[in-house]
Amino acid sequence: MMQDKLALARQIAQLASSRLTTEESEHLVSIINQLFIDIEHGHSCSRVDIMATSINLTCQVILDVVTKSGIASNYSLDMLDDLVPLPLSIWHTSDGSYIYITRYLSYEVRIGRYIKQLMTERVCFDENKFNQVSTVLTNLQHANGLPNQDQLNAILRSCQHQLSIITGGPGTGKTTTVMLLLWALFQLYSQVPKVKICAPTGKAANRVKDSIYKSLQDKQINVDTTILKNTLRDDCFSTIHKVLGYRKNSIYFQHNHDNPLDCDILIVDESSMIGLPLFSKLLDALNLHTIKHIIFLGDKNQLSSVEEGYVFASLVDVEVQQINYAASDLFNQFSYQPLASYLHESKRNQEAIALLSNAILNNDAPLVNQCLKDEHTQLHPPLLTEVLRTNYSSNSPLMRYLQYVQEQDSLVGSIGDLMQKFTTQANLCMTNSGVLGSVNLNHEIERMIKIKFGFDNEWYSGRPVMILENNYPLDLYNGDVGICLVYDGKAKIYFAEDKSFAPEVLPKFALAYAITIHKSQGSEYEHVNVILPHSSGEEMQSLLTRELVYTAVTRAKRSVTLFSQLDTLHLAMNNSSKRISGLSHLLK
């Protein structure tokens, strides 16, 4: 991989060879190679001062070489409207200079432009109608505590703005907030709005659909949801890619600036998982003059997207100006408040898990040490034998799941139940590679299972797989989990929504007894095994972050076991994974 980046850097630098000396050409190769490394680590660009330290050049040499090369243009903040189509761009800001692949700077500029336009738009309703809706929700809160105050504030604020950002951890009631927000909006509009609800992966899209359907049946939420039940059909929910309209063998979508989406309300769940290019293309496909509401939901403390970019976290950090016309003092008329609405009160996780996850976020080592003495949050040595023993014990969730599958005559009609039993437990790994990576752990767990149950064939009932790439014709997406069932000697892989396929037609997949923490985003399990190998390697330590451990721990509802050394856990807590991006400058 390193060699591939270096070879590509040399090819691009070759475009400037006639303008540079031999020494300058080598400097340019190092600069471009470092830019590729930064992008691979999720940054949308490179900060010149940080790059200078990494490649042992001065900031001035870097800027001079890239400018002299002729393959980059220089910009200040007020010059970004017309980007020159050159491979690289240098952007000079108040806190330093950034080097971009020009396409990524274009994505950030477009996102910044759209968001700033959306932030200025307020939605005006009939005052009496709005007051009636507000009164119903307030009375509901007084009667049974739902919505709580954070949720009520988010709902009323979102009703009044075209753009809304709602952030909260697991169990803080984002789904309840969305359902009551939709109820409120349906009361406020005279015509039934067209609604689309989407998420970055098929797994996340199915989960938000199931959560909203469940919320619509919640007796505790005492409002008439008939119109929502009649309107929110299965076709309202999908992946972002499917909403935008996949085009075969193309990075572009059917819906774009010239062919915008036909919807009034767009709700995007798990927004922290959306990479920079997809976020830009999603906003590109909106008609900002006709869409009524855009609501982005997510957890700002989770891992950022696997792709490059830091969009959702940047949006959460934005502050918007508020004007108090009643203030007598001119200087007191203006104040700032976060663009995002925060949900704090969590009810999903067992108390010990909530305490542990907050301690991890706050880098509170003494409290973490105390939490790990609880029966619901335990620390075990990071050894393969320990992980296998936990999975292999006769009463483990994995063994109970496999035993259940083998005892059934037919499970085709109850795939949902089967999926539920499988997701009782998850093994979450830091990486795919290594002894405690997902690839080797899957191999060892399956070897153990085949011995115990006497399986000879590759495919057997209960074998779980995870799709690793999008396949639009098959309606299968990266992160989708399927389970094999064998009848009359024939294996089929069953997925959510009654989809089933022969193994040989599946897109790229992997076993799913163990998955990476990144792949677990948008999922929840009763119990989670978090596997953090001890490593002194620089690259492994860069992966080991506070956000990674927080994301893993908060997948669990009832209990979590950390297979880790205590100093490894403390190292992660001290390492925050904030990405390099210029988007915050564009949103000021």
Side-chain angles (χ1 to χ4, degrees):
M1 186 68 74
M2 293 288 287
Q3 292 299 318
D4 291 344
K5 288 196 291 288
L6 188 59
L8 183 56
R10 291 193 181 281
Q11 287 180 21
I12 295 173
Q14 193 66 33
L15 299 172
S17 59
S18 62
R19 301 182 185 90
L20 303 175
T21 66
T22 301
E23 183 182 39
E24 289 170 338
S25 292
E26 285 305 310
H27 288 341
L28 184 59
V29 170
S30 297
I31 291 164
I32 297 172
N33 185 57
Q34 185 60 46
L35 175 58
F36 289 161
I37 291 171
D38 288 344
I39 289 172
E40 187 176 60
H41 288 163
H43 307 294
S44 56
C45 55
S46 295
R47 270 187 64 126
V48 172
D49 55 349
I50 298 173
M51 176 186 279
T53 303
S54 299
I55 62 176
N56 200 25
L57 293 174
T58 67
C59 293
Q60 196 58 53
V61 166
I62 291 172
L63 293 172
D64 288 346
V65 167
V66 177
T67 301
K68 184 180 177 183
S69 72
I71 63 171
S73 288
N74 285 266
Y75 302 96
S76 59
L77 185 57
D78 58 354
M79 295 170 56
L80 292 171
D81 287 338
D82 296 305
L83 299 180
V84 179
L86 291 172
L88 304 181
S89 294
I90 306 171
W91 182 21
H92 304 282
T93 73
S94 56
D95 72 344
S97 298
Y98 299 82
I99 296 178
Y100 280 85
I101 292 175
T102 300
R103 183 173 75 252
Y104 290 168
L105 178 57
S106 175
Y107 288 145
E108 288 199 345
V109 168
R110 294 201 324 249
I111 290 171
R113 189 180 300 133
Y114 289 136
I115 295 297
K116 287 186 81 169
Q117 182 178 338
L118 288 165
M119 284 194 308
T120 63
E121 298 296 329
R122 285 182 65 90
V123 181
C124 297
F125 294 106
D126 176 89
E127 189 174 350
N128 289 332
K129 266 189 175 182
F130 185 79
N131 288 338
Q132 288 171 8
V133 166
S134 178
T135 299
V136 170
L137 292 172
T138 303
N139 290 340
L140 189 62
Q141 181 191 51
H142 292 157
N144 57 25
L146 279 177
N148 62 38
Q149 194 58 49
D150 286 344
Q151 293 169 326
L152 181 60
N153 292 342
I155 293 164
L156 296 179
R157 190 177 177 194
S158 298
C159 285
Q160 298 174 82
H161 291 84
Q162 192 178 17
L163 172 68
S164 302
I165 311 292
I166 301 175
T167 182
T172 52
K174 293 189 289 292
T175 302
T176 299
T177 304
V178 166
M179 196 278 285
L180 287 172
L181 171 58
L182 285 172
W183 173 85
L185 292 173
F186 273 53
Q187 310 307 306
L188 292 168
Y189 287 107
S190 54
Q191 290 187 325
V192 176
K194 299 174 186 173
V195 179
K196 290 191 182 295
I197 302 172
C198 57
T201 66
K203 180 170 60 173
N206 283 326
R207 183 164 166 260
V208 71
K209 178 181 73 175
D210 293 343
S211 297
I212 286 180
Y213 282 172
K214 184 178 179 182
S215 189
L216 288 171
Q217 306 300 327
D218 190 345
K219 302 295 185 186
Q220 197 175 4
I221 302 174
N222 190 24
V223 294
D224 185 358
T225 58
T226 303
I227 191 169
L228 290 179
K229 292 174 183 175
N230 292 335
T231 304
L232 296 179
R233 300 298 188 185
D234 285 359
D235 58 1
C236 292
F237 302 86
S238 71
T239 63
I240 297 172
H241 291 80
K242 197 169 179 179
V243 164
L244 292 177
Y246 161 72
R247 294 168 70 178
K248 191 174 181 180
N249 300 324
S250 174
I251 63 170
Y252 302 105
F253 294 98
Q254 292 173 17
H255 291 290
N256 50 42
H257 184 268
D258 298 320
N259 180 33
L261 289 168
D262 179 24
C263 70
D264 300 310
I265 300 170
L266 178 67
I267 297 171
V268 187
D269 196 23
E270 297 291 352
S271 298
S272 64
M273 295 170 62
I274 309 173
L276 176 65
L278 186 58
F279 216 116
S280 176
K281 289 169 186 176
L282 179 61
L283 291 175
D284 241 347
L286 303 177
N287 185 334
L288 303 191
H289 300 293
T290 59
I291 194 162
K292 293 177 170 62
H293 298 274
I294 307 156
I295 300 110
F296 290 103
L297 304 163
D299 182 353
K300 73 181 184 71
N301 296 311
Q302 268 195 56
L303 282 166
S304 295
S305 60
V306 176
E307 290 184 310
E308 57 283 334
Y310 197 59
V311 183
F312 184 72
S314 297
L315 294 181
V316 170
D317 289 339
V318 170
E319 291 192 331
V320 292
Q321 189 179 72
Q322 303 292 310
I323 304 176
N324 179 8
Y325 294 102
S328 56
D329 183 349
L330 177 64
F331 294 101
N332 289 330
Q333 283 189 353
F334 299 96
S335 62
Y336 288 86
Q337 71 174 60
L339 172 63
S341 296
Y342 287 78
L343 306 180
H344 296 99
E345 186 180 333
S346 177
K347 292 184 177 180
R348 189 186 94 178
N349 292 337
Q350 202 274 343
E351 185 178 352
I353 297 173
L355 196 63
L356 175 62
S357 61
N358 286 329
I360 290 167
L361 281 182
N362 295 324
N363 195 13
D364 188 338
L367 183 54
V368 165
N369 296 350
Q370 181 183 332
C371 289
L372 293 174
K373 297 174 183 177
D374 190 279
E375 63 177 332
H376 298 95
T377 49
Q378 296 188 357
L379 185 71
H380 287 198
L383 301 172
L384 179 61
T385 51
E386 281 286 310
V387 178
L388 293 177
R389 182 183 60 79
T390 300
N391 280 273
Y392 194 63
S393 66
S394 58
N395 199 39
S396 75
L398 178 58
M399 290 300 114
R400 291 202 304 269
Y401 154 75
L402 286 165
Q403 194 66 46
Y404 170 79
V405 175
Q406 309 315 311
E407 290 172 354
Q408 306 305 308
D409 293 329
S410 176
L411 284 164
V412 175
S414 55
I415 298 302
D417 292 340
L418 186 59
M419 288 284 187
Q420 191 172 19
K421 288 188 180 297
F422 173 67
T423 55
T424 301
Q425 173 190 284
N427 295 297
L428 305 184
C429 305
M430 188 168 82
T431 65
N432 288 311
S433 59
V435 174
L436 291 176
S438 64
V439 173
N440 187 61
L441 196 52
N442 272 313
H443 172 76
E444 292 295 332
I445 290 174
E446 183 168 63
R447 182 178 63 82
M448 175 183 76
I449 286 168
K450 284 189 170 183
I451 292 171
K452 180 177 177 65
F453 289 93
F455 298 141
D456 295 323
N457 297 324
E458 178 184 6
W459 294 101
Y460 50 86
S461 289
R463 190 184 199 221
V465 297
M466 175 175 279
I467 300 300
L468 300 180
E469 61 186 17
N470 295 332
N471 186 301
Y472 300 98
L474 294 182
D475 197 25
L476 289 175
Y477 300 93
N478 191 351
D480 286 355
V481 173
I483 292 175
C484 176
L485 294 175
V486 179
Y487 291 109
D488 297 328
K490 294 182 179 179
K492 270 196 172 183
I493 317 302
Y494 291 83
F495 294 84
E497 299 180 330
D498 299 322
K499 292 179 288 191
S500 63
F501 305 92
E504 53 268 22
V505 305
L506 291 179
K508 186 179 179 182
F509 65 88
L511 270 173
Y513 291 118
I515 61 175
T516 62
I517 296 168
H518 269 98
K519 290 289 188 187
S520 74
Q521 290 187 91
S523 298
E524 61 181 18
Y525 311 90
E526 295 296 311
H527 175 77
V528 164
N529 296 319
V530 182
I531 300 138
L532 304 175
H534 178 71
S535 174
S536 57
E538 185 177 332
E539 186 169 349
M540 288 290 280
Q541 288 190 9
S542 70
L543 296 172
L544 189 63
T545 65
R546 184 185 311 161
E547 292 80 6
L548 182 90
V549 180
Y550 168 83
T551 300
V553 167
T554 54
R555 299 310 91 204
K557 294 197 291 184
R558 295 190 179 276
S559 60
V560 59
T561 301
L562 285 155
F563 293 87
S564 171
Q565 293 182 359
L566 202 54
D567 61 347
T568 301
L569 189 54
H570 292 167
L571 177 68
M573 290 161 54
N574 279 301
N575 185 21
S576 184
S577 65
K578 187 170 183 179
R579 291 181 173 181
I580 298 170
S581 164
L583 191 54
S584 60
H585 293 284
L586 294 162
L587 294 171
K588 289 179 180 176

